[in-house]
Amino acid sequence: MKSVKLIWLLLFTVIMMVTMKVQWNWNNKNVQHGIIKLELATTQSDAKNIIEDWNLNGAIANTYLDFLFIIAYSWFLFAAVYRTGNRLNGWGNYLKFIAFLSPLAGILDIVENYKMLQFMRDTNNFHTAYFVSAIKWGIVTGLFTLFIVLSCLVNDQEREKFI
């Protein structure tokens, strides 16, 4: 794990984000609602309204591409939180174990994508991904925030060594 630099994981994640955004815009330039609206749709009628102006083949292709993005961001968040927490002394070192929520976020994202793909292929086959999506977004947001906090703590700890 040490052989893979955190900057490369971040770069891969950013490249995946840009690629997905370019592909989405290429296939769905003038749509009213994006994929996150579909992830959070709670009813079949809401979901149908969201995709009514979509190029569904493009959206399906983009959702398949999202599986690579899941690997990218899960790996990055795990490595970022674990490695940063590992640099802390004392109680802060234990915060690194929260990184193990990252694979859970990835699994929830896979479930979410599966539900959306089923719906996009057959609009009568709707199963809301709202709860799965909300939990996934909560974990991802929490891990990213924790990474920032841990980075600040490491910075403070490093600065204290020189004082």
Side-chain angles (χ1 to χ4, degrees):
M1 178 96 150
K2 287 248 183 209
S3 63
V4 178
K5 298 284 185 196
L6 197 56
I7 191 72
W8 291 113
L9 292 174
L10 176 61
L11 183 62
F12 182 59
T13 302
V14 170
I15 288 170
M16 285 304 305
M17 289 172 67
V18 169
T19 301
M20 289 181 62
K21 183 68 173 168
V22 167
Q23 181 178 347
W24 178 262
N25 287 342
W26 193 345
N27 292 312
N28 291 291
K29 285 184 183 174
N30 299 313
V31 298
Q32 283 188 318
H33 306 286
I35 195 78
I36 294 175
K37 287 278 193 182
L38 181 60
E39 291 173 3
L40 299 173
T42 54
T43 66
Q44 184 175 9
S45 63
D46 287 346
K48 283 183 178 181
N49 289 337
I50 290 166
I51 67 165
E52 70 185 6
D53 58 351
W54 285 14
N55 169 348
L56 281 181
N57 289 332
I60 289 170
N62 207 58
T63 304
Y64 279 115
L65 183 62
D66 188 46
F67 286 103
L68 290 175
F69 180 62
I70 293 168
I71 294 167
Y73 83 75
S74 295
W75 197 7
F76 168 72
L77 285 174
F78 178 82
V81 170
Y82 193 86
R83 288 183 183 177
T84 308
N86 202 37
R87 291 179 60 192
L88 289 170
N89 298 325
W91 64 269
N93 184 267
Y94 295 106
L95 294 173
K96 69 184 178 190
F97 295 110
I98 297 173
F100 285 96
L101 288 174
S102 179
L104 176 61
I107 290 167
L108 292 172
D109 206 347
I110 290 169
V111 170
E112 171 191 273
N113 282 357
Y114 175 78
K115 288 181 174 198
M116 289 189 312
L117 283 168
Q118 296 302 322
F119 173 69
M120 286 188 280
R121 286 193 187 113
D122 177 9
T123 58
N124 293 319
N125 187 11
F126 177 77
H127 301 284
T128 185
Y130 178 83
F131 297 107
V132 171
S133 185
I135 294 168
K136 174 203 73 171
W137 282 112
I139 291 171
V140 168
T141 303
L143 285 172
F144 190 75
T145 303
L146 180 60
F147 171 56
I148 292 169
V149 169
L150 291 175
S151 296
C152 292
L153 291 173
V154 166
N155 186 44
D156 290 348
Q157 179 178 288
E158 294 295 318
R159 198 171 11 170
E160 286 178 8
K161 287 182 181 178
F162 296 109
I163 296 177

